[in-house]
Amino acid sequence: MADSEENNALFPIFILSMIALPLVPYTILKLFRAASKKTKCINCECSDCSRSGKYRKSVFKWITSVSTCGNLTLVLLWVIMAILVYYIKHMNSEIQVFEPFNILGLEPGASDSEIKKAYRRLSIQYHPDKNPDPAAHKYFVESISKAYQALTDPISRENYEKYGHPDGRQGFQMGIALPRFLLNIDGASGGVLLIWIVGVCILLPLVAAVVYLSRSSKYTGNYVKNDTLGAYFHLMKPSLAPSKVMEVFIKAAEFVEIPVRRSDDEPLQKLFMAVRSELNLDLKNIKKEQAKFWKQHPALVKTELLIQAHLTHETANLSPDLERDCMRVLEFAPRLLEELVKMALIPRSNKGQGWLRPVIGVIELSQSIVQAVPLSTRKSEGIAPFFQLPHFNDDIVKKITRKKVSTFQELQEMTIEERAVLFSQVANFSASEVEDVENVLKLIPSLTVEVTCGTEGEEAIQEGDIVTVQTWVTLKRANGLIGALPHAPNYPFHKEENFWCLLADSNSNSVWFSQKISFMDEAAAVTAASTAIEERMEVLGASPKETSSAIREAVEKVKNGCRLAMGKFLAPAEGNYNLTCYLLCDSWIGCDRKSSLKLKVLKRTRAGIRDGQMTDGGLIPEGGIDEEEEIEEEEDIESEYSEDEEDAQDTNKKGRANGRVHDKSGSESSGSDEE
């Protein structure tokens, strides 16, 4: 083992290495994420969003956002690294290699007479009899005398010239980079070293792993508690009406943990009276309904009232404690609603399909929470989207809808000059207020959907085939942006737009295919589209040139504001199916889109082959199977807050047919909230 002095000198280098190995790449990653975040934050510039302070880049807010525990720890570790680098550099400058020729001021290979002359010269300068300075005495004894002895002794000089050391060849040495106090404590270095190794190398990582696993075991990857997912899974029903989604949403374990104080009783009673009309209560038996409402878990009652206070803009009347609780509820809301959507989309039937009706209800609730629009406005057809615009209220909406602008889509289709006249004359808006409304209208996305559906490499779809769905979603805004943050001045946190692409059969309330789409991360979208197109072309047996061309085309479409949603599902039984491709936004009201898709599934033949091919019984003619009449028009699923159960709907008529699937998307129509 090496000398303890050398080990003690290596300890700072060991600590520096252990800190630098994880710190440097983590810092680079954090800086890269911070730089990419700045490019994403494209927010609304209306006066309401400016007054909210959510996007205000003040010095205090910047310091508050930067001075988190993680960032402060990062800075502290870099300071420690800088101190260690300075210490190691200073320590290395003090460590001098024994060079006898340099000490005596001679060139290598000097003669004995030159060595003696140099020794006498230095003796006159540093010998204790000539120089009483203790430092000179120390230098003479430890350096000059040793150098003279090493060069005048034949054996020492030969060893130095041959091996670089007066004592000859030096053996291989190993040391432990630990400080001296751990290796030299009253002869108990072995025990101390063992304690150090066990404590730092075994116990400390074990404790950290146990703490991390105990916390992470309670949460999913989306930072939602497992208890919440269990409750959502059991409470989810296929006939869950939009008006009942709130009752399921508030059952989250995160909301149950919200503290209920005695001081909250009176403010909550007042809040209940203010938002009572928004609660799903039977007004014919209001006393019984109120008693039933207050008998729920106190935390759930509080959560629902706080959400309703946010939707009806009653948060200004809350106490400071309730206001903090409301902020906590709103912070949890987006990821809880996303998990609630996933619970509705989990395959529960033998066909591997989710449920459409509850998905629409959850997304409508998400839209209302982000835009702070009361759920009661969803009952009136086409009214809710108006309330997400700045400076709009009930009176202004009534005035505008009387002027032959009954839907939000009609307002968007008007020219800027026509809207300016409408707002100034009917709503009495000032020029700045008209500008605010125009800024928001320019930010609202316009969506188009192009969906195709078929079996790879085959002309028709038969029972049991793997059907590939390819959906291109295009987003455009009047201001030219692709990725942006929605106008949401009353929602106190940053919220990115998310879109859910669903291929569903509204008649059977089933979702055949679903995928979440985001327009914020272009790089991730390019990677996903390239991978999907490459896999598809490989299945089709395309050449490398064709594959490269298809990938380039897909990448160009993504850069122009398109996103690709691709998936597969198992072809159902023989028949004609009227499907609908829904594109639902979780942040905006009134921008949802849908397109129709007719799917024809043929009966699988006895030999399991396609039309026009030879079977054991002979050739099946391509026109040999009769086609049934057109199926009935699909009935759209609408937002119904007055109904608790879904009416029974007729299933699609089935008929045998022989031919190609209709895979072109139909004409677009407005989303569920515009119907």
Side-chain angles (χ1 to χ4, degrees):
M1 183 178 289
D3 186 76
S4 62
E5 289 289 343
E6 296 181 11
N7 294 335
N8 195 59
L10 291 175
F11 182 68
I13 301 176
F14 172 75
I15 294 297
L16 178 64
S17 302
M18 291 297 101
I19 296 176
L21 282 174
L23 184 61
V24 173
Y26 177 75
T27 304
I28 294 174
L29 180 62
K30 197 171 182 67
L31 291 175
F32 176 77
R33 288 179 177 175
S36 60
K37 263 187 178 179
K38 289 183 179 179
T39 60
K40 291 181 182 179
C41 294
I42 305 171
N43 54 273
C44 178
E45 297 180 354
C46 72
S47 59
D48 284 356
C49 289
S50 300
R51 281 195 298 268
S52 68
K54 187 165 50 173
Y55 309 110
R56 191 176 301 150
K57 297 179 180 179
S58 62
V59 176
F60 176 76
K61 190 171 184 178
W62 182 83
I63 293 174
T64 304
S65 62
V66 170
S67 59
T68 60
C69 293
N71 291 341
L72 292 177
T73 304
L74 201 65
V75 172
L76 179 62
L77 289 174
W78 275 105
V79 170
I80 294 174
M81 275 189 60
I83 294 173
L84 287 173
V85 169
Y86 175 79
Y87 175 76
I88 292 169
K89 184 179 179 181
H90 183 69
M91 178 185 65
N92 290 338
S93 64
E94 291 181 350
I95 299 176
Q96 298 179 356
V97 181
F98 181 69
E99 295 285 352
F101 286 107
N102 290 338
I103 294 174
L104 297 179
L106 299 173
E107 293 294 331
S111 62
D112 292 342
S113 60
E114 292 175 339
I115 293 172
K116 292 178 180 179
K117 288 179 182 180
Y119 176 72
R120 285 195 296 268
R121 186 181 67 253
L122 294 175
S123 298
I124 296 173
Q125 185 178 355
Y126 293 102
H127 195 277
D129 295 339
K130 304 294 184 179
N131 191 341
D133 188 3
H137 180 209
K138 181 179 180 182
Y139 181 70
F140 179 80
V141 173
E142 295 181 357
S143 299
I144 297 175
S145 297
K146 287 184 178 181
Y148 177 74
Q149 183 181 0
L151 295 179
T152 54
D153 183 48
I155 298 176
S156 298
R157 182 166 183 174
E158 183 182 0
N159 288 335
Y160 174 74
E161 292 176 349
K162 188 179 294 186
Y163 304 109
H165 199 282
D167 296 333
R169 185 190 298 273
Q170 299 297 301
F172 179 72
Q173 294 181 341
M174 295 184 63
I176 299 177
L178 296 177
R180 189 188 307 169
F181 69 89
L182 289 176
L183 301 174
N184 189 19
I185 304 179
D186 298 331
S189 59
V192 174
L193 181 60
L194 180 62
I195 294 174
W196 170 266
I197 294 175
V198 172
V200 174
C201 300
I202 299 177
L203 293 181
L204 185 60
L206 185 61
V207 170
V210 169
V211 172
Y212 173 77
L213 292 175
S214 63
R215 291 183 177 181
S216 61
S217 62
K218 300 179 181 179
Y219 294 88
T220 63
N222 201 20
Y223 300 103
V224 175
K225 288 195 169 184
N226 291 323
D227 294 341
T228 299
L229 297 186
Y232 283 172
F233 181 83
H234 291 292
L235 293 171
M236 184 61 62
K237 298 178 181 178
S239 60
L240 187 67
S243 57
K244 298 292 186 181
V245 171
M246 179 73 77
E247 298 178 9
V248 177
F249 171 61
I250 62 174
K251 297 296 194 306
E254 286 84 351
F255 296 152
V256 175
E257 294 179 354
I258 293 178
V260 180
R261 314 171 192 86
R262 291 185 178 180
S263 58
D264 295 338
D265 292 343
E266 185 176 350
L268 288 178
Q269 289 285 350
K270 293 180 180 179
L271 181 59
F272 173 79
M273 299 305 297
V275 302
R276 186 175 62 175
S277 60
E278 295 292 330
L279 300 174
N280 193 26
L281 302 178
D282 185 7
L283 299 179
K284 296 180 180 178
N285 195 4
I286 189 63
K287 291 185 178 179
K288 185 177 180 181
E289 289 289 315
Q290 288 183 197
K292 183 180 178 181
F293 177 81
W294 288 104
K295 283 182 180 179
Q296 299 180 96
H297 192 286
L300 303 184
V301 172
K302 182 177 182 177
T303 299
E304 185 170 0
L305 291 177
L306 291 177
I307 294 175
Q308 294 294 349
H310 167 70
L311 297 178
T312 56
H313 301 182
E314 293 286 343
T315 52
N317 300 325
L318 297 178
S319 63
D321 290 336
L322 288 178
E323 191 172 352
R324 284 192 294 270
D325 293 337
C326 184
M327 294 281 284
R328 184 178 177 184
V329 170
L330 296 178
E331 185 179 9
F332 289 145
R335 57 177 180 263
L336 292 178
L337 288 168
E338 181 177 336
E339 293 301 320
L340 196 54
V341 171
K342 293 178 182 178
M343 287 298 107
L345 293 173
I346 287 179
R348 311 222 187 184
S349 65
N350 54 359
K351 298 179 181 179
Q353 299 169 351
W355 298 325
L356 176 63
R357 185 177 175 85
V359 172
I360 293 178
V362 174
I363 293 179
E364 286 184 351
L365 178 59
S366 176
Q367 295 171 354
S368 296
I369 290 178
V370 173
Q371 295 295 337
V373 174
L375 295 176
S376 59
T377 60
R378 311 297 291 251
K379 297 178 182 179
S380 302
E381 184 177 356
I383 297 298
F386 288 101
F387 289 96
Q388 65 189 348
L389 298 176
H391 315 300
F392 270 65
N393 53 37
D394 290 331
D395 295 335
I396 293 176
V397 171
K398 289 178 182 178
K399 291 178 182 179
I400 288 179
T401 52
R402 289 178 192 150
K403 297 295 181 179
K404 299 182 180 180
V405 185
S406 57
T407 65
F408 189 70
Q409 186 175 358
E410 292 178 3
L411 180 67
Q412 289 180 301
E413 293 173 352
M414 296 174 65
T415 63
I416 297 177
E417 293 76 13
E418 291 174 344
R419 284 197 296 263
V421 172
L422 178 67
F423 293 151
S424 59
Q425 294 182 358
V426 178
N428 296 323
F429 282 173
S430 63
S432 61
E433 291 174 336
V434 173
E435 185 180 359
D436 287 343
V437 177
E438 288 296 334
N439 286 334
V440 176
L441 288 173
K442 291 178 182 178
L443 194 63
I444 295 178
S446 174
L447 303 167
T448 55
V449 183
E450 179 185 352
V451 56
T452 58
C453 193
T455 304
E456 301 290 4
E458 302 292 348
E459 291 293 329
I461 299 176
Q462 292 188 0
E463 297 175 343
D465 282 349
I466 302 298
V467 183
T468 300
V469 183
Q470 178 175 295
T471 305
W472 279 104
V473 179
T474 305
L475 181 145
K476 293 183 179 179
R477 305 180 201 267
N479 58 9
L481 299 177
I482 297 177
L485 297 176
H487 163 80
N490 296 296
Y491 187 77
F493 302 99
H494 287 249
K495 175 67 176 70
E496 295 183 0
E497 300 170 340
N498 291 312
F499 300 85
W500 286 91
C501 182
L502 312 173
L503 183 63
D505 184 358
S506 56
N507 291 327
S508 61
N509 189 34
S510 57
V511 178
W512 294 22
F513 161 76
S514 63
Q515 186 170 324
K516 180 183 172 184
I517 300 174
S518 175
F519 286 84
M520 296 299 292
D521 194 345
E522 183 180 289
V526 168
T527 303
S530 301
T531 304
I533 294 297
E534 184 178 5
E535 291 177 354
R536 186 188 182 199
M537 298 301 288
E538 184 179 351
V539 172
L540 294 175
S543 64
K545 185 176 180 180
E546 292 173 338
T547 302
S548 178
S549 176
I551 291 175
R552 282 198 303 269
E553 183 182 353
V555 170
E556 190 64 27
K557 292 180 72 173
V558 170
K559 292 181 178 179
N560 291 331
C562 296
R563 294 293 183 268
L564 176 62
M566 184 176 287
K568 300 178 185 294
F569 64 87
L570 193 66
E574 173 198 9
N576 294 330
Y577 296 88
N578 255 10
L579 304 180
T580 304
C581 181
Y582 290 86
L583 187 64
L584 308 176
C585 179
D586 68 349
S587 303
W588 292 100
I589 304 174
C591 71
D592 299 340
R593 293 293 181 268
K594 63 181 181 180
S595 62
S596 60
L597 177 70
K598 292 183 179 181
L599 187 69
K600 182 183 293 183
V601 181
L602 305 180
K603 185 177 182 180
R604 186 167 292 278
T605 59
R606 179 166 53 88
I609 62 174
R610 302 284 168 178
D611 299 331
Q613 299 180 6
M614 185 68 67
T615 66
D616 295 339
L619 182 68
I620 300 178
E622 293 203 10
I625 300 179
D626 295 331
E627 201 175 280
E628 250 190 334
E629 298 177 357
E630 285 286 320
I631 62 175
E632 294 178 308
E633 291 292 329
E634 69 171 73
E635 298 179 11
D636 296 334
I637 293 183
E638 300 181 353
S639 172
E640 301 172 1
Y641 286 89
S642 58
E643 297 180 4
D644 297 338
E645 299 294 333
E646 183 183 16
D647 296 330
Q649 299 182 353
D650 296 331
T651 57
N652 292 337
K653 292 183 179 180
K654 296 183 179 179
R656 294 185 302 175
N658 180 23
R660 186 166 184 169
V661 62
H662 298 277
D663 59 358
K664 295 296 183 182
S665 62
S667 58
E668 295 173 11
S669 59
S670 60
S672 60
D673 46 49
E674 297 178 16
E675 297 173 354

